[in-house]
Amino acid sequence: EAGVVQSPRYKIIEKKQPVAFWCNPISGHNTLYWYRQNLGQGPELLIRYENEEAVDDSQLPKDRFSAERLKGVDSTLKIQPAELGDSAVYLCASSVSGTLETQYFGPGTRLLVL
Amino acid sequence: AQRVTQPEKLLSVFKGAPVELKCNYSYSGSPELFWYVQYSRQRLQLLLRHISRESIKGFTADLNKGEPSFHLKKPFAQEEDSAMYYCALAGTYKYIFGTGTRLKVLA
């Protein structure tokens, strides 16, 4: 099994440009998470989905970040416009159901905003 | 405030020495505690979780509700244990990671 798949693995953009990240969770996993990890820090939750419903997006900067999980499977995280401070690793994870289950992480997308 | 604190950014020990990675937390309620590990060039993965009470790769962690803490221990460190370790807390609606501790096991 491939596990959680993310693309692209690396992305370099200029500030004010848009960028999008894609995540395919493990088959059968209802819960999907997007995290941002800054250098030297732990993962910080941006948004959590239960199936297609965003149940926790309190840490998502809604002025420039958006996410969707159509049909409760794949998910896309978008930043528009990107700022220098958005440079980080964006991680996607999935679990069977709910926050008390083990999370399985993707390899992450490393974003550099110039 | 709900948080997870890992006070050590870097911990260096010699091979065969005991290891203890500290994790303190603050949470109102009864959270589930986890340790995740990230080896070089690999993705973040679960090492162990409190509820399963397993010993994985010789590591154990005891939940101390009095402190409160969930320190990770191993009696004899191996070179392959060198990695980044994250303590995490899961509540009904929250999932919080600590800032991580890099463990270096020296030959």
Side-chain angles (χ1 to χ4, degrees), chain B residues 7-61:
Chain B
E8 303 138 329
K9 278 193 171 295
L10 173 66
L11 182 64
S12 296
V13 300
F14 285 103
K15 177 182 174 182
V19 173
E20 182 178 49
L21 301 174
K22 296 188 185 305
C23 173
N24 297 96
Y25 68 92
S26 172
Y27 188 79
S28 56
S30 297
E32 176 63 17
L33 277 299
F34 302 78
W35 277 98
Y36 284 84
V37 61
Q38 188 167 26
Y39 300 102
S40 179
R41 294 191 177 86
Q42 294 187 27
R43 61 184 68 187
L44 199 58
Q45 59 186 287
L46 180 72
L47 178 63
L48 57 79
R49 54 184 296 178
H50 168 249
I51 196 170
S52 62
R53 298 185 183 278
E54 292 176 304
S55 173
I56 307 296
K57 298 184 178 182
F59 284 97
T60 59

Side-chain angles (χ1 to χ4, degrees), chain A residues 6 21-23 32-35 45-47 75 77 91-92:
Chain A
Q6 289 187 249
F21 314 122
W22 176 79
C23 173
L32 184 145
Y33 307 76
W34 281 104
Y35 290 90
L45 182 67
L46 292 174
I47 189 168
S75 179
L77 177 69
L91 296 167
C92 179

Side-chain angles (χ1 to χ4, degrees), chain A residues 9 37-38 41-43 89 91 105-108 110, chain B residues 35-47 57 80-87 97 99-103:
Chain A
R9 294 294 309 278
Q37 186 172 21
N38 293 310
Q41 300 294 316
V89 176
L91 296 167
F105 283 82
R110 187 175 297 274
Chain B
W35 277 98
Y36 284 84
V37 61
Q38 188 167 26
Y39 300 102
S40 179
R41 294 191 177 86
Q42 294 187 27
R43 61 184 68 187
L44 199 58
Q45 59 186 287
L46 180 72
L47 178 63
K57 298 184 178 182
E80 55 266 31
D81 296 330
S82 294
M84 195 74 187
Y85 291 80
Y86 294 95
C87 182
F97 279 83
T99 52
T101 297
R102 180 169 298 283
L103 175 64

